[in-house]
Amino acid sequence: MYLHYRDFLIRDWQPSDRAAAASVIKTALAEYGLGWEPEQTDRDALEVETYYWQTGGEFWVVEQQAQIVGTAGYYPIERGQRAVEIRKMYLQPSSRGLGLGRFLLQQLEQAIAAQQFHQVWIETASVLKEAVSLYERSGYQPAVGAETLRCDLVYMKSLSLSSSL
């Protein structure tokens, strides 16, 4: 999968991206005072093959000038009806404020709908104000039941398979 947005390339993650993608996530978390948890919450970012590929999910990286500047993925979850969770959607500061996050979220939703999933769940932290705003502007509704310790907000959106995203 290859998508272009301005001078960014969004593509499928490859094993050679492991360290660079993890670094983007770790740096973004630190920027907001959140800890990197490679043995727990962030294990999926290091074991993409197990958590995303083997479950029917996808994990993408965002490149700019051959450097990884963002990540995003989803995988099926037991919560809800034919549901997935969007995970690890992070962008470096220089890549924010350009509409890339909104584009990335829309592309994730299209990929999810194409796989016939019906619900999209997102867990996030209230300190990630830009992300929270994006989700709310994109039609995600507050829900309950955060399963990730560093997350205090949960959102859900039902996808209409007959409508275009």
Side-chain angles (χ1 to χ4, degrees), residues 104-114 138 140 157 159 165:
L104 195 54
L105 183 59
Q106 291 169 343
Q107 296 305 310
L108 284 167
E109 290 177 353
Q110 288 179 13
I112 290 164
S138 299
Y140 286 80
K157 182 176 184 178
L159 300 180
L165 296 170

Side-chain angles (χ1 to χ4, degrees), residues 12-53:
D12 291 320
W13 177 94
Q14 294 299 314
S16 60
D17 299 325
R18 195 177 322 271
S23 178
V24 166
I25 296 164
K26 183 177 180 179
T27 300
L29 289 169
E31 177 186 352
Y32 289 91
L34 300 171
W36 167 250
E37 301 170 356
E39 298 300 319
Q40 295 143 355
T41 302
D42 300 309
R43 183 178 213 139
D44 62 313
L46 298 171
E47 299 178 15
V48 170
E49 299 91 338
T50 301
Y51 284 85
Y52 295 87
W53 292 357

Side-chain angles (χ1 to χ4, degrees), residues 10 14-15 31 49 66-67 69 79 82 86 100-101 110 113 116 140 146 158:
I10 302 164
Q14 294 299 314
E31 177 186 352
E49 299 91 338
Q67 298 294 313
V69 298
R79 178 190 293 190
R82 289 267 320 139
I86 288 179
L100 177 60
Q110 288 179 13
Q116 303 297 305
Y140 286 80
S158 294

Side-chain angles (χ1 to χ4, degrees), residues 82-98:
R82 289 267 320 139
V84 299
E85 182 177 350
I86 288 179
R87 298 196 35 98
K88 303 300 185 265
M89 191 166 141
Y90 293 103
L91 296 171
Q92 288 184 343
S94 62
S95 304
R96 298 180 199 148
L98 306 170

